[in-house]
Amino acid sequence: MKELLYKWEPFLKYGQRFQAERQKLIYRQGEKGRGFYYLSIGEIKITLLSDQGNERIINIVPPGMLFGEHGVQQEPYLTSATTTCPSIIYYFSDEAVAEIYTEFPDAASIYTDSLIYKFRTLAEIISLIDSPVEQQMAYYLVKLYEENGSATMNQTAFAKYLGSSRITVNKVIQKWKQDHYITLDGRQIIIKNIETLKAIANNPDI
C-alpha cells in the first residue's frame, strides 16, 4: 500500500473538498455509486455487512489514499465508509475523473492500482471471515506490518480490525508473547517473528 500513498495528490484541484466530523457516513454498502474519494486528513474505517447482518471492519484508510473506488459509473458501493475522527476529504465525480484522465492519462493507472489493491484486500477478508481468530489476527498483523513497513504496531490500531472480544484477542496476544512471536511495550506490539505470523495467517494449525 505504501507505494499508493499520496499518488493522487496532484489532482486534488479537480475534486470537491469537504470536512467531515467524527462518525460521518461517507457512503453506504449497496447504495448507488457517485464516484470515489481521497482522504487528505483524518481516518476512514471501511466496513462490510455480511448476509447474516454482521458488520465487520475490514480496512482502515490512512491519509493519502483513495477509497470508494468501486463506486464509479454508478456501480454500487461494495462496503461502507465512515470517519473515525474529523477528516478532510476530496470527492471525485465521474465527470471530474474523465477530465483528469483527458489531461493526465497516467492518472488512470493510479486509480486502477488502488482499485486492484482494495479488491484483493476485500477478497482476502471475505475468505477469512469464518476462520479461527488466531489466523485472522495473524493476517491483520502481517497486513499492518507490510503496509506500515514497521515491526511495531499500536494495539489500538490493531484492534480496530478485529471483531472478536478483547478477552479473546488478549489471550492470543499473550500466547504469542509466550511463544516469542511478539513482545509488548506498553500499548505497542513489537513483532519478533514475522515469518511465523505469516505462516499462521496461511495455516492456523501451525
Side-chain angles (χ1 to χ4, degrees):
M1 185 191 74
K2 289 184 295 180
E3 63 272 14
L4 298 174
L5 287 174
Y6 302 106
K7 287 291 187 68
W8 199 256
E9 196 86 11
F11 315 115
L12 296 189
K13 66 179 182 180
Y14 295 89
Q16 298 178 24
R17 182 183 184 274
F18 66 95
Q19 293 181 307
E21 67 275 17
R22 181 178 177 271
Q23 297 298 339
K24 172 68 175 177
L25 180 69
I26 306 303
Y27 61 79
R28 188 184 303 276
Q29 181 178 332
E31 72 180 17
K32 185 178 180 180
R34 301 181 298 273
F36 61 84
Y37 302 83
Y38 176 88
L39 180 62
S40 179
I41 296 173
E43 185 180 77
I44 303 290
K45 69 175 179 181
I46 304 297
T47 57
L48 178 69
L49 188 65
S50 70
D51 294 337
Q52 292 74 36
N54 300 316
E55 188 175 63
R56 176 72 177 273
I57 298 175
I58 63 169
N59 202 9
I60 300 294
V61 179
M65 284 289 288
L66 296 175
F67 64 100
E69 300 94 325
H70 30 82
V72 299
Q73 302 301 322
Q74 301 184 348
E75 289 293 322
Y77 291 109
L78 301 177
T79 57
S80 297
T82 307
T83 59
T84 65
C85 61
S87 301
I88 296 178
I89 300 167
Y90 288 79
Y91 161 67
F92 294 87
S93 65
D94 291 338
E95 293 75 19
V97 173
E99 185 178 356
I100 294 172
Y101 291 169
T102 298
E103 296 190 35
F104 306 95
D106 290 346
S109 65
I110 299 174
Y111 162 81
T112 301
D113 289 345
S114 185
L115 180 63
I116 290 172
Y117 171 79
K118 299 299 174 53
F119 275 146
R120 183 181 298 122
T121 298
L122 182 58
E124 290 173 349
I125 295 300
I126 291 174
S127 71
L128 286 169
I129 283 179
D130 295 323
S131 300
V133 171
E134 187 169 0
Q135 183 180 13
Q136 294 186 45
M137 289 178 62
Y139 169 82
Y140 284 120
L141 195 58
V142 170
K143 183 175 184 289
L144 285 170
Y145 169 82
E146 292 177 341
E147 290 182 352
N148 296 339
S150 171
T152 303
M153 302 298 158
N154 182 275
Q155 286 191 54
T156 302
F158 179 46
K160 288 180 180 180
Y161 284 93
L162 302 168
S164 302
S165 70
R166 291 185 178 180
I167 294 175
T168 301
V169 170
N170 188 61
K171 283 182 179 179
V172 175
I173 287 178
Q174 293 304 321
K175 176 178 179 291
W176 286 351
K177 179 182 177 182
Q178 185 175 349
D179 292 338
H180 304 293
Y181 302 159
I182 64 170
T183 188
L184 300 177
D185 182 9
R187 296 296 300 167
Q188 296 293 112
I189 299 172
I190 301 173
I191 299 173
K192 298 181 68 176
N193 192 333
I194 188 63
E195 295 305 321
T196 297
L197 291 175
K198 287 180 179 179
I200 294 172
N202 293 312
N203 183 359
D205 296 326
I206 292 178

